[in-house]
Amino acid sequence: MARSRAVLHLLSLTALCVGGWSAWRATQTNLTVQAERVMLMPGALPSLNPFLPVNEAERQILDLIHEPLIRIDRDGKLGAALAEGWSWHQNLSCWFDSAEQAKEAAQTITAQPLEIRASWDLESAIPVGNLLTFRFTHPGGHVADEVMAILAAKPPQKLTFIRVACTPAMRPAIQAYADYPEHRPHVKRVWFDDDGSCEIVTSLTGLQAQQQLIDWILPRHTPVPEIKPVSEVAALLEPVLDFRLKPGLRWDDGSLITAADVRATLLYVLPRPWPLPGRDLFRHVHSITQTATGVVRVVYRKRYSPTLAAWTALPILPAAWLKRHEADFGADFPPGAGEWQLTRLEPTRLWLSQRHSEVKQTLQVIAATSPVQTRVGLSTHIIDIWWPDREAQGAMTSDASWRMLPTPPHNQLMLVWQTESPLVKDIEVRQALSLALNREALSHEMPGGRARLHDSFFPPGRWFSAEPTPLIHDPNLAEQLFAKAGWLRDVSGNLKKAGQPMHLHILVPEGNDERLRLANALAFSWKKAGLHLQVDAVPTHRYRGELQAGRFDLVFLGSELSPGWDVLPLWHSSQAGQGMNVSRIADPQLDLLLDALVSEFDSSHVLRRASAVEVRLAELRPALPLFTDAADMAIQSDRFPGLRPNEIQRGVTLRQLMSGALPKVSPAVNLQMISPK
């Protein structure tokens, strides 16, 4: 009744103030629909492109409508979504000069003692023509080496990896080369990267393949790109990921969800410049097929375990719908397979309904088209969920009925040291600089004046992200560490070593006002510690080159939080000076830990390996993790009684919020006393 009176009061007010809101509610026949929640959307209604959300509110709505194959569950672990389970395998493919040789090789391996085959986890050895494919239960490079050693007496054909530095425009010509009847027997694999370059696996020698490609490309495209043999192997080692789809899953038109939908979704998204989380992880996909009813098989180019987590960030769409919208989504909303579906749409509002639930929940999303509407809606407490800006949050502090909840972050900012720089090459100096920095004060210079402190090199709230030791602001301890490294204050309070002042340089891209403001705040904070920080604004076209050349002492490095656990490109010595390792850290122990992490296919062991990497990075200090982005939603606390306390720490999603929207009803129990007999 109280809610009905509030609605009626709202209608009378808005009819005078803004007119439109009275129609918003008057069209409903029942003003107190059971299990309905109302969300106030900042700005206009979203376009509902599942791969291009414009803000956090739209991202959360899309998460209700669409479903990936697997997802991160409420405990931060890998959980079921469209797929009810998954498993890793490994294929070892080798080609022989004849079908008879392939059969003989298969017999040689299957004739090995049972204990040897069991140690390999060998499932099958299947010859098809001159191709022999071994299937193993678990990925592992050492198994392949042992199998190939047994076949050394009658080895398979040598395979050459050829790298072609072509452009996307050349892809049809390269594909035609691979499909040409005279080339098809030699070409075993063709892989294309986002930049258009490709890798070809052929049974020809490197010189033969180079000449054949040049002869093919020259009449069709000039200039001929660089063609370079990369490596030579005896067999292809390809991890295989099998997803078991939940039985009976269907799209709105009644058609079954299949591997064709998964493949079509990935092929649709990858060529487009949309900010797909984990995009780089999908580069390793070779093929997607359906091997049996409800089994989606993904074959990868290389052994790389973090690709599993990438599937948590890819909402699957129907292949038939994508084919009808090859150019773009336009104004049409793609159907989803999530727990919620779009049931009604108007110019300034939309309705979502839960597909399968004993109590039919609905979520009404309203576009805030004017400040007056927002004030009236909030003052009457008809709104259950709201996405306020920073100014609005300040005005809410006096209203105890509203509760601010953090949402999961998507980006991270770190302060990266150039570890070969004479000024910061000592670990004690990098540690002292970290302790001398007031990160809490620095966070106010972030966009919107808001950020969350984050002390880890891995994303928060994931099963593989251990809780790191929080870094404190301790100027006294910082001064002690400076002194230990030989940096002492002079009579003016400036740090000097052997008469030379500590004068650091930080690079920022020219025209990036946010980074410039942050760098100036950093300089102000460190000035109290007795050092000078010079901010060098570099033209955008030179910025990357300056980073690669290492002409800086420190730099801000912002990155998207990947759904996976691969931090190898940032810290592995092989990436120093040419890849993403701009810190130039080079540590053999860290390299081994990073290699082991991306080679760990058992998700239950990933935490242990990631924790070891975290500990080593904390010891070496190539960077100082600063912040993650911050976006909050406001809720009426009493209307969401099922929210778990641990979810608030890692960030709350609309999906979790709506699953906790209904009060837990205790079952009726009829107790009777039974007299003893």
Side-chain angles (χ1 to χ4, degrees), residues 255-559:
S255 60
L256 283 171
I257 298 175
T258 67
D261 301 310
V262 179
R263 182 173 58 252
T265 300
L266 192 59
L267 292 177
Y268 190 93
V269 176
L270 287 183
R272 290 167 167 78
W274 292 338
L276 176 67
R279 171 183 291 273
D280 287 344
L281 303 180
F282 287 115
R283 290 190 301 106
H284 304 286
V285 173
H286 167 57
S287 64
I288 301 175
T289 57
Q290 185 150 325
T291 59
T293 302
V295 176
V296 178
R297 173 159 295 174
V298 184
V299 179
Y300 288 94
R301 294 161 51 175
K302 59 181 289 189
R303 297 179 64 249
Y304 186 70
S305 66
T307 54
L308 173 62
W311 294 101
T312 66
L314 181 71
I316 305 302
L317 300 186
W321 189 92
L322 291 170
K323 187 176 182 180
R324 294 195 303 270
H325 297 77
E326 288 184 3
D328 205 347
F329 283 2
D332 196 2
F333 299 119
E339 296 178 9
W340 296 72
Q341 60 183 339
L342 180 66
T343 54
R344 185 177 172 187
L345 177 66
E346 295 182 3
T348 59
R349 54 189 173 142
L350 59 85
W351 281 263
L352 301 177
S353 296
Q354 204 167 16
R355 292 178 186 268
H356 309 291
S357 176
E358 294 181 2
V359 179
K360 201 72 172 181
Q361 291 195 84
T362 60
L363 174 66
Q364 187 172 171
V365 180
I366 308 163
T369 56
S370 77
V372 178
Q373 280 185 319
T374 300
R375 287 196 298 270
V376 173
L378 296 175
S379 64
T380 54
H381 293 276
I382 184 176
I383 304 300
D384 301 296
I385 308 169
W386 182 35
W387 299 82
D389 55 23
R390 188 185 184 194
E391 182 179 347
Q393 288 187 32
M396 291 169 55
T397 55
S398 59
D399 191 342
S401 64
W402 286 104
R403 180 183 183 186
M404 298 301 302
L405 295 178
T407 57
H410 302 283
N411 298 280
Q412 181 181 13
L413 184 70
M414 292 185 292
L415 192 61
V416 179
W417 320 107
Q418 207 284 69
T419 57
E420 294 180 351
S421 166
L423 292 177
V424 295
K425 66 180 181 180
D426 293 335
I427 294 177
E428 290 84 0
V429 172
R430 301 199 292 268
Q431 185 178 7
L433 289 168
S434 301
L435 291 168
L437 177 60
N438 187 341
R439 291 185 300 161
E440 184 66 43
L442 190 66
S443 68
H444 300 314
E445 303 301 325
M446 290 289 285
R450 300 175 60 244
R452 295 193 183 99
L453 297 184
H454 185 60
D455 293 298
S456 174
F457 293 90
F458 292 93
R462 307 290 171 83
W463 83 97
F464 56 85
S465 303
E467 290 296 327
T469 303
L471 185 70
I472 58 175
H473 174 224
D474 192 335
N476 293 328
L477 180 56
E479 190 153 355
Q480 294 174 25
L481 290 172
F482 278 132
K484 183 179 178 181
W487 291 94
L488 303 173
R489 287 183 185 264
D490 63 10
V491 293
S492 301
N494 297 317
L495 288 174
K496 287 186 177 180
K497 182 177 182 179
Q500 297 297 317
M502 180 172 283
H503 193 116
L504 302 176
H505 289 256
I506 183 171
L507 289 184
V508 295
E510 197 173 68
N512 191 325
D513 294 337
E514 293 177 356
R515 291 288 172 86
L516 182 61
R517 185 174 62 251
L518 200 61
N520 287 329
L522 182 65
F524 179 79
S525 179
W526 274 341
K527 188 176 182 180
K528 300 175 184 178
L531 61 100
H532 176 74
L533 177 65
Q534 179 174 320
V535 180
D536 298 331
V538 179
T540 306
H541 68 277
R542 287 178 40 214
Y543 183 70
R544 182 175 178 83
E546 293 293 301
L547 290 182
Q548 297 288 345
R551 289 189 283 267
F552 64 94
D553 295 310
L554 57 148
V555 68
F556 288 118
L557 186 64
S559 61

Side-chain angles (χ1 to χ4, degrees), residues 19-36:
W21 204 317
S22 58
W24 164 74
R25 204 63 163 172
T27 54
Q28 297 193 65
T29 57
N30 181 4
L31 296 180
T32 56
V33 177
Q34 185 182 17
E36 183 189 58

Side-chain angles (χ1 to χ4, degrees), residues 47-62:
S47 62
L48 295 184
N49 180 337
F51 309 109
L52 200 62
V54 297
N55 53 36
E56 184 62 24
E58 182 179 3
R59 182 182 283 109
Q60 298 287 342
I61 292 172
L62 291 167

